[in-house]
Amino acid sequence: MEDLKDFEQQQSTYYLYHRIGKRTADIIASFSLLLLCFPLFLVFAAILFCFSGRPILFKQLRTGRNNKPFTIWKFRTMQLTVLESSIHQYEWESEVPQDFVFAKPVNLRITRLGSFYRKYSIDEIPQLWNVLKGDMSFVGPKPEIIEITKHYSWDQKKRLLVKPGITGYAQVNGRSAITHGEKIFHDLYYVKNCSFSLDLKIIFLTLVIVVTGKGAY
């Protein structure tokens, strides 16, 4: 099986875009959107506080580029705030099964307002801060919880060669309604073919999906 280091070297064609062009675009766009969306952020936070109380924000450790953990931020959409690590326990031996589909734990009840926020990706607005910090990009594989990525095979780990994104190729090809194997397939396609034009295509398709609310979890 191809070693991760060798695989990453194959991405040298995209070095300037990943490390310079894409990061520059992420900084400019995330900073601009944080300024523009700040009034909306306050409105959504106030509505959440009125209908669901505290805490307003939800934070959780996720796996980032090169298997490095980082804290992701979202608007809280659940009635009960509990640690994911105490809920998701997996005992896979060699890799995450191809037919695995992430399911919502029964004790993580999504509020009615939370369902609306998730359907239209409002809950992900705080992730603009993650993009500005450099933990994430606008486009990339969806950041996975550590309880799942620790079971990745070498091949599955290749999706961690790029920064996770607010949206990505897998998200516009099924969102939350695809199997883990399908997600890996789409994410590896993105890792191998990442380009400015592909990112623009994904962003455009994401806008369409957000407006329709299709495939929301």
Side-chain angles (χ1 to χ4, degrees):
M1 185 175 292
E2 188 179 41
D3 185 83
L4 282 177
K5 184 176 180 180
D6 293 336
F7 186 84
E8 187 169 20
Q9 289 176 347
Q10 293 179 10
Q11 311 310 308
S12 58
T13 304
Y14 309 109
Y15 178 86
L16 289 179
Y17 178 61
H18 274 293
R19 301 295 179 84
I20 301 177
K22 189 170 184 177
R23 179 58 186 149
T24 300
D26 281 341
I27 292 174
I28 295 174
S30 60
F31 181 76
S32 301
L33 286 174
L34 280 169
L35 291 179
L36 291 173
C37 292
F38 186 69
L40 285 176
F41 182 93
L42 294 179
V43 170
F44 290 135
I47 293 174
L48 188 59
F49 176 77
C50 290
F51 287 91
S52 191
R54 296 180 179 178
I56 301 297
L57 296 176
F58 168 77
K59 65 177 182 177
Q60 183 186 58
L61 277 180
R62 296 287 179 96
T63 303
R65 183 175 182 268
N66 293 330
N67 215 27
K68 181 180 179 181
F70 72 97
T71 300
I72 195 172
W73 293 90
K74 293 186 175 185
F75 280 127
R76 181 177 63 85
T77 57
M78 299 170 291
Q79 291 182 358
L80 297 177
T81 303
V82 291
L83 293 175
E84 289 282 356
S85 59
S86 66
I87 300 172
H88 301 290
Q89 298 295 331
Y90 304 105
E91 298 180 357
W92 302 310
E93 294 183 1
S94 57
E95 64 176 22
V96 182
Q98 296 295 302
D99 60 353
F100 169 71
V101 177
F102 186 85
K104 176 175 68 66
V106 293
N107 62 328
L108 274 188
R109 299 189 299 272
I110 307 300
T111 65
R112 182 176 300 180
L113 179 62
S115 296
F116 178 82
Y117 276 23
R118 288 190 175 207
K119 182 175 182 179
Y120 296 102
S121 299
I122 295 172
D123 62 313
E124 297 181 355
I125 292 178
Q127 291 178 39
L128 290 172
W129 175 244
N130 287 118
V131 176
L132 184 61
K133 285 179 59 184
D135 298 323
M136 296 176 61
S137 177
F138 275 100
V139 181
K142 182 179 180 180
E144 190 63 89
I145 61 174
I146 296 175
E147 286 71 30
I148 290 180
T149 59
K150 70 180 182 181
H151 294 286
Y152 274 5
S153 65
W154 284 107
D155 197 51
Q156 292 171 341
K157 285 182 179 179
K158 292 173 184 176
R159 75 185 294 269
L160 304 178
L161 289 174
V162 298
K163 287 183 181 180
I166 294 179
T167 186
Y169 196 63
Q171 287 93 309
V172 299
N173 281 281
R175 207 169 179 180
S176 300
I178 59 177
T179 65
H180 182 78
E182 291 171 323
K183 180 175 70 175
I184 293 294
F185 174 81
H186 292 308
D187 285 341
L188 294 189
Y189 175 87
Y190 177 78
V191 171
K192 295 177 182 179
N193 298 279
C194 178
S195 66
F196 179 69
S197 59
L198 181 57
D199 280 356
L200 284 181
K201 177 182 177 181
I202 292 172
I203 290 173
F204 172 77
L205 292 175
T206 299
L207 293 176
V208 174
I209 291 173
V210 168
V211 170
T212 61
K214 182 179 179 181
Y217 171 61

